[in-house]
Amino acid sequence: MSVQFNHTIIASQDARESAEFFAELLGLEVGAPWGPFIPVVLDNGVTLDFATAPDGNTPLQHYAFLVSEDVFDAAYKKIADRRIEHWADPHRQHPGEYNTNDGGKGVYFLDPSGHAMEILTVPYGGWPKQ
């Protein structure tokens, strides 16, 4: 078997709120709770298991997602329409914009727990040459 990423736990202030925010923004489904986890399954089978941090401590994490142009455009419209603070860059020097790095689109924003989220349509460095 090759090595594949299967799941990760995302510590949240409120697992349900964070899972619903993420799933709704990207057009995904929130799964049935499993123990303390609220799962969101990505199209490649990877599961994000949102869990409420018992001590309320949710250290900043960064999560980046490669999405299609259609998913990006729909998510970006929601971000703009809802006036979710966002930036074209990770240093927050270009607020209210998205970038066009590597010939694609990318944007940074925070989830309800303060995690730095990123969606992009082209991987860093561009698509590999065939």
Side-chain angles (χ1 to χ4, degrees):
M1 171 184 259
S2 64
V3 177
Q4 297 181 15
F5 189 69
N6 180 262
H7 71 277
T8 193
I9 297 169
I10 300 177
S12 307
Q13 296 295 317
D14 180 312
R16 170 72 54 191
E17 177 186 31
S18 291
E20 288 176 355
F21 170 85
F22 180 80
E24 199 282 324
L25 187 69
L26 296 182
L28 300 169
E29 297 292 323
V30 174
W34 184 76
F37 307 113
I38 307 294
V40 176
V41 180
L42 306 180
D43 293 335
N44 63 349
V46 171
T47 303
L48 304 178
D49 292 319
F50 291 86
T52 301
D55 60 1
N57 184 15
T58 56
L60 173 69
Q61 296 290 312
H62 173 69
Y63 299 95
F65 300 91
L66 187 61
V67 301
S68 68
E69 290 272 340
D70 291 346
V71 169
F72 183 93
D73 292 343
Y76 189 77
K77 181 174 180 354
K78 292 174 187 175
I79 289 168
D81 288 351
R82 295 174 188 170
R83 296 191 169 125
I84 296 171
E85 195 171 15
H86 61 282
W87 305 269
D89 64 303
H91 303 292
R92 302 180 187 178
Q93 300 298 306
H94 301 279
E97 301 174 23
Y98 64 84
N99 67 61
T100 56
N101 297 343
D102 298 307
K105 298 175 187 173
V107 68
Y108 299 81
F109 57 96
L110 302 178
D111 83 343
S113 294
H115 294 304
M117 306 298 249
E118 175 184 5
I119 55 174
L120 64 160
T121 61
V122 174
Y124 289 122
W127 293 108
K129 302 289 184 214
Q130 297 293 339

